[in-house]
Amino acid sequence: MTATQRPTVAKATPARQASRPNALSLRIPEPRARPGEMLDFGNLRLSRGSAVERPAIDVQAHEIRDLAYGLIRVLDDDGQAVGPWAPALDTQSLRDGLRWMMLTRAYDERMYRAQRQGKTSFYMKCAGEEAVAVAQALALAPDDMCFPTYRQQGLLIARGYPLVEMMNQVLSNALDPLKGRQLPVLYSSRDYGVFTISGNLGTQFIQAVGWAMASAYKHDRRIAAAWIGDGSTAEGDFHHALTFASVYRAPVVLNVVNNQWAISSFHGIAGGGDSPFASRAIGYGLPALRVDGNDFLAVHAATAWAVERARANLGATLIEHVTYRAEGHSTSDDPSQYRPAGEAAGWPLGDPVARLSAHLVAIGEWSADRHEALRKELLETVRAAGKEAEAVGTLSTGSRPSVRTMFEDVYKDAPWHIREQRQQLGV
Amino acid sequence: MMATMNMIQALNSAMDVMLARDPDVLVFGEDVGFFGGVFRATEGLQKKHGLERCFDTPIAEGGLIGVAVGMGAYGLRPVVEIQFADYIYPAYDQIVSEVARLRYRSAGQFTAPMTIRAPYGGGIFGGQTHSQSPEALFTHVAGLKVVIPSNPHDAKGLLISAIEDDDPVIFLEPKRIYNGPFDGHHDRPISPWAKHPASAVPEDYYTVAIGEAAILRAGEQVTILAYGTMVHVVLAAVEESGLDAEVLDLRTIWPVDIDAIVASVRKTGRCVIVHEATRTSGFGAELTALIQERCFYHLEAPIERVAGWDTPYPHAFEWEYFPGPDRVAAALRRTVDAHG
Ligand SMILES: Cc1ncc(C[n+]2csc(CCOP(=O)(O)OP(=O)(O)O)c2C)c(N)n1
Ligand SMILES: [Mg+2]
């Protein structure tokens, strides 16, 4: 890192400090590089894949504390799957995973453009983080209940939720399954086991624990999974979830998606600098896995371990996925304002799509031509779905849900005041 | 079979009946399990129905309401206790942003049919942190129902209705009258519930409908709207003033029984609203607005509000703060004497 001082940031008043030797000083964490400075990933705590052991699922949490500080990796630089965590995934599953990650990316690109074209108000991509949702969807059973954030659209895509439905929601058109009530990207699908996504960060982490407690109470076999961003781990709900999951041994997989950034604040502002997010689990007596979130095989392996443990009634696991938010937070910010332009390209853990593709090539199950053909096919898939959804309507044109429905579902049956207000609007 | 019950016993009986009737009902909260709650409302339920049906939670109100949301989404019907309404604020985000809106934002895919019980109100020398009446913080939130019983019979019937309701219900229990009705005369001996007709409670299942007020006293001169402990204070004030007042116990404050209110105020032309909560933006303000919208041309006097002062609840000035029968009687007198 360059030692140059940022002219825009005033440093701690040196004069006053000098006049008071041994005085206290306040630390405000800063990322290792800001725009215009040299990239620096020196605090990533990388470890070689083969270096991290894979414990039995019935291990005691305190026996594997090291895993919170290591990094589970499977794919090496040559695209080979190595080490104890290499999962026994058949090639068809790997190709499915690649397809869903690429479909998620193509979908994101189209919807991002749709926002730019004024067809919707807002959009959020998950570029660079596709492995997290897609590999995890593969490791969970289709009827396990997911409590995602706005950045796990890959879950819905991998579970086969129709793209057109997703688009109808983003465009808030007449066929929007959520009737124009939710911000784009805050999906909900009971049928596909995806809980209604909240705009309030963190709230769902603890709700997933409640769902899992209910499943255990009913002697069900289904488990829950929840996701939270690195920034949002500072919310109380995150800590409530760890407490309740530990106390009641809830069958839930708790995921921190550490994509390094929370809008413009780096992970250190959430306390990720001095100790990795995975290590939060230790004090709660829960096992923690820290995993290379851009390594499809490693994410799958870590998740499968936690799923198996939860289903065996051994309780919750906290998984930190170390990944990188390759693009802006949403359509509303410009990341070049707060982080170096080359940070995404220089990210040491690479790109999840490129890495899985390279692995398939390395084991003789894929080729550059097939990759390109698949990319084109998916582009066409997304284009066709987009045309279909836009033909129904967008936020700015075409048909919207009936305004009358605005007054439905506040309560199961509308009380007098809701009926009265609907009449006042004349709908 | 009827039994004589105080409020605590009636609430306990409601949960007992529902735990027995519906395996999807769970009861939990701080100190709720083995001990039976700091006010004993869940006493014996764990022993009778099992550890998994009635249990203690960590002291994390946001956490315990959060898990109740997940349980509701699964299909259970959690009945959670917040130890004092004064401690519901850590859960306010979960209640406002999640519990209240789940049905709406998921277009009916997910719901959170939970009952949130909380002892509330003053009169027990609880100071600032055991005396608050936060009901207006919940009536303001779209998607919630707010129920406040004033006697054992209603408490049991309303709690069963709340547990069976498919929408979330905030169930505020006036703790001052857990053991006996309180007329506001703190210097007089307390009479137990056993001497009150509403302490006759069926031991089995029954319901009192949510959304229906009760006319406790018919009258011609003035309408009084009250709920919780204040119902008893109001009845005492009416008795002592000798006025022919009509007293409505709202029982459900949202959605409020607007028809009963309108019918009464149109008949009497005068209205006094009484609550313990602080006055400004209190529920009385909403009632006042509703009445003037619907009964303006029937009104013969300004609507009066008797409420807690706009200060935090002070420990040593309990009885100066509490809207007792003298303040209510004075407001009644002003209202009845007013001439346009
Ligand atoms: C309770 C709450 N506070 C603030 C926000 C505004 N907000 C939306 S996203 C975001 C950053 C979240 O960062 P992180 O948790 O790391 O998730 P990421 O966006 O990186 O996936 C903020 C501050 C919010 N939606 N909810
Ligand atoms: Mg983040």
Side-chain angles (χ1 to χ4, degrees), chain A residues 334-358:
Chain A
D334 169 9
S336 73
Q337 300 289 310
Y338 49 79
R339 64 186 194 186
E343 208 175 72
W347 175 245
L349 299 177
D351 174 73
V353 172
R355 284 175 72 190
L356 181 57
S357 181

Side-chain angles (χ1 to χ4, degrees), chain A residues 188 196 198 217-218 220 248, chain B residues 23-24 56 74 98 105 109:
Chain A
S188 175
T196 155
S198 181
Y217 166 72
K218 295 294 273 187
D220 197 341
Y248 301 107
Chain B
D24 290 340
D56 288 346
Y74 183 95
E98 305 290 322
R105 79 165 195 241
Q109 291 174 8

Side-chain angles (χ1 to χ4, degrees), chain B residues 2 35 81 83 110 112 129-130 132 170 231 251-252 259:
Chain B
M2 300 295 277
F35 181 56
E81 177 177 305
Q83 205 160 74
F110 297 96
T129 53
H130 303 83
Q132 295 166 38
I170 307 291
V231 164
R251 303 197 291 189
T252 296
D259 294 340

Side-chain angles (χ1 to χ4, degrees), chain B residues 23-143:
Chain B
D24 290 340
V25 170
L26 298 185
V27 172
F28 53 91
E30 296 157 18
D31 301 298
V32 154
F34 186 82
F35 181 56
V38 294
F39 289 102
R40 327 297 306 151
T42 54
E43 187 164 22
L45 297 180
Q46 181 178 82
K47 188 154 194 240
K48 180 166 173 189
H49 299 279
L51 206 54
E52 301 150 272
R53 303 292 308 283
C54 176
F55 54 86
D56 288 346
T57 65
I59 304 167
E61 292 76 12
L64 67 97
I65 300 293
V67 298
V69 174
M71 289 174 171
Y74 183 95
L76 303 186
R77 283 184 185 271
V79 182
V80 301
E81 177 177 305
I82 299 290
Q83 205 160 74
F84 289 85
D86 313 62
Y87 307 130
I88 205 166
Y89 310 121
Y92 199 55
D93 181 37
Q94 284 284 345
I95 295 172
V96 174
S97 311
E98 305 290 322
V99 174
R101 296 199 218 138
L102 221 51
R103 180 190 296 282
Y104 190 77
R105 79 165 195 241
S106 70
Q109 291 174 8
F110 297 96
T111 60
M114 72 175 72
T115 304
I116 301 176
R117 296 181 38 243
Y120 92 107
I124 62 152
F125 280 99
Q128 297 179 28
T129 53
H130 303 83
S131 306
Q132 295 166 38
S133 298
E135 65 270 18
L137 297 178
F138 301 102
T139 56
H140 189 58
V141 178

Side-chain angles (χ1 to χ4, degrees), chain A residues 100-315:
Chain A
W100 292 326
M101 286 201 289
M102 290 169 69
L103 183 56
T104 303
R105 191 166 289 185
Y107 170 77
D108 271 355
E109 275 160 16
R110 173 144 191 132
M111 300 323 286
Y112 185 88
R113 274 201 313 279
Q115 191 276 341
R116 289 294 185 241
Q117 293 161 351
K119 292 171 183 165
T120 187
S121 57
F122 176 78
Y123 194 73
M124 300 175 99
K125 289 177 158 186
C126 65
E129 302 173 41
E130 292 91 344
V132 174
V134 171
Q136 295 201 276
L138 213 65
L140 289 159
D143 56 355
D144 287 335
M145 189 67 187
C146 297
F147 291 73
T149 79
Y150 45 73
R151 234 183 274 285
Q152 283 81 46
Q153 49 268 58
L155 285 172
L156 279 164
I157 287 176
R159 282 188 167 182
Y161 187 67
L163 283 187
V164 179
E165 291 267 298
M166 293 176 76
M167 291 171 164
N168 288 337
Q169 201 261 310
V170 171
L171 299 171
S172 291
N173 67 23
L175 296 182
D176 173 0
L178 305 183
K179 303 182 180 173
R181 295 174 188 162
Q182 264 291 36
L183 206 62
V185 313
L186 301 182
Y187 307 99
S188 175
S189 174
R190 191 182 181 90
D191 292 346
Y192 287 79
V194 172
F195 189 71
T196 155
I197 300 169
S198 181
N200 291 55
L201 295 171
T203 48
Q204 299 180 206
F205 219 56
I206 177 69
Q207 294 166 1
V209 175
W211 195 96
M213 287 169 68
S215 185
Y217 166 72
K218 295 294 273 187
H219 308 298
D220 197 341
R221 294 189 192 288
R222 292 175 294 162
I223 65 168
W227 288 261
I228 197 167
D230 48 295
S232 307
T233 60
E235 291 281 2
D237 298 284
F238 173 74
H239 300 274
H240 295 331
L242 296 183
T243 301
F244 281 72
S246 159
V247 169
Y248 301 107
R249 209 181 56 206
V252 58
V253 179
L254 298 170
N255 299 285
V256 177
V257 184
N258 178 4
N259 63 7
Q260 313 302 315
W261 290 93
I263 310 186
S264 70
S265 51
F266 85 117
H267 60 88
I269 290 292
D274 293 332
S275 194
F277 295 104
S279 71
R280 305 289 188 266
I282 292 172
Y284 294 95
L286 295 174
L289 306 177
R290 189 167 175 268
V291 59
D292 175 346
N294 288 11
D295 178 338
F296 186 91
L297 297 179
V299 171
H300 186 277
T303 309
W305 188 91
V307 166
E308 202 188 328
R309 185 175 163 98
R311 226 178 298 278
N313 214 31
L314 296 167

Side-chain angles (χ1 to χ4, degrees), chain B:
Chain B
M1 281 278 287
M2 300 295 277
T4 302
M5 297 189 197
N6 63 25
M7 289 272 274
I8 290 289
Q9 290 162 332
L11 294 162
N12 182 283
S13 174
M15 289 183 271
D16 185 20
V17 164
M18 290 311 292
L19 282 163
R21 278 173 75 97
D22 183 352
D24 290 340
V25 170
L26 298 185
V27 172
F28 53 91
E30 296 157 18
D31 301 298
V32 154
F34 186 82
F35 181 56
V38 294
F39 289 102
R40 327 297 306 151
T42 54
E43 187 164 22
L45 297 180
Q46 181 178 82
K47 188 154 194 240
K48 180 166 173 189
H49 299 279
L51 206 54
E52 301 150 272
R53 303 292 308 283
C54 176
F55 54 86
D56 288 346
T57 65
I59 304 167
E61 292 76 12
L64 67 97
I65 300 293
V67 298
V69 174
M71 289 174 171
Y74 183 95
L76 303 186
R77 283 184 185 271
V79 182
V80 301
E81 177 177 305
I82 299 290
Q83 205 160 74
F84 289 85
D86 313 62
Y87 307 130
I88 205 166
Y89 310 121
Y92 199 55
D93 181 37
Q94 284 284 345
I95 295 172
V96 174
S97 311
E98 305 290 322
V99 174
R101 296 199 218 138
L102 221 51
R103 180 190 296 282
Y104 190 77
R105 79 165 195 241
S106 70
Q109 291 174 8
F110 297 96
T111 60
M114 72 175 72
T115 304
I116 301 176
R117 296 181 38 243
Y120 92 107
I124 62 152
F125 280 99
Q128 297 179 28
T129 53
H130 303 83
S131 306
Q132 295 166 38
S133 298
E135 65 270 18
L137 297 178
F138 301 102
T139 56
H140 189 58
V141 178
L144 298 177
K145 295 181 178 175
V146 183
V147 171
I148 304 183
S150 71
N151 62 64
H153 180 272
D154 285 356
K156 177 170 175 180
L158 283 166
L159 183 53
I160 291 177
S161 289
I163 295 169
E164 290 186 325
D165 202 289
D166 288 328
D167 291 311
V169 179
I170 307 291
F171 194 91
L172 296 175
E173 302 168 3
K175 62 173 111 54
R176 172 66 220 212
I177 58 171
Y178 269 158
N179 294 310
F182 176 60
D183 62 11
H185 289 293
H186 56 92
D187 42 1
R188 295 186 194 165
I190 307 294
S191 85
W193 273 115
K195 294 192 177 159
H196 193 287
S199 68
V201 177
E203 286 182 313
D204 296 334
Y205 171 94
Y206 69 96
T207 59
V208 171
I210 289 177
E212 290 180 13
I215 301 175
L216 295 187
R217 187 190 188 286
E220 298 296 329
Q221 276 184 294
V222 54
T223 297
I224 311 175
L225 306 180
Y227 47 88
T229 305
M230 287 303 129
V231 164
H232 304 281
V233 174
V234 160
L235 288 171
V238 170
E239 201 63 41
E240 290 153 23
S241 65
L243 294 170
D244 185 23
E246 180 144 303
V247 178
L248 265 67
D249 176 358
L250 297 182
R251 303 197 291 189
T252 296
I253 66 164
W254 205 257
V256 76
D257 188 344
I258 190 68
D259 294 340
I261 294 172
V262 168
S264 180
V265 176
R266 285 191 179 168
K267 181 178 75 173
T268 63
R270 296 167 199 266
C271 184
V272 173
I273 298 159
V274 186
H275 60 59
E276 287 181 70
T278 46
R279 180 183 172 94
T280 301
S281 299
F283 189 60
E286 182 60 42
L287 290 171
T288 306
L290 287 169
I291 292 166
Q292 74 83 20
E293 283 163 6
R294 283 149 213 268
C295 310
F296 185 78
Y297 297 107
H298 295 77
L299 287 175
E300 293 166 39
I303 300 166
E304 281 250 11
R305 286 179 288 164
V306 183
W309 306 120
D310 283 336
T311 70
Y313 207 114
H315 183 234
F317 308 117
E318 183 94 45
W319 305 119
E320 288 81 2
Y321 183 88
F322 189 87
D326 295 346
R327 278 175 61 200
V328 175
L332 287 176
R333 184 56 62 200
R334 280 194 300 277
T335 305
V336 170
D337 290 348
H339 287 289

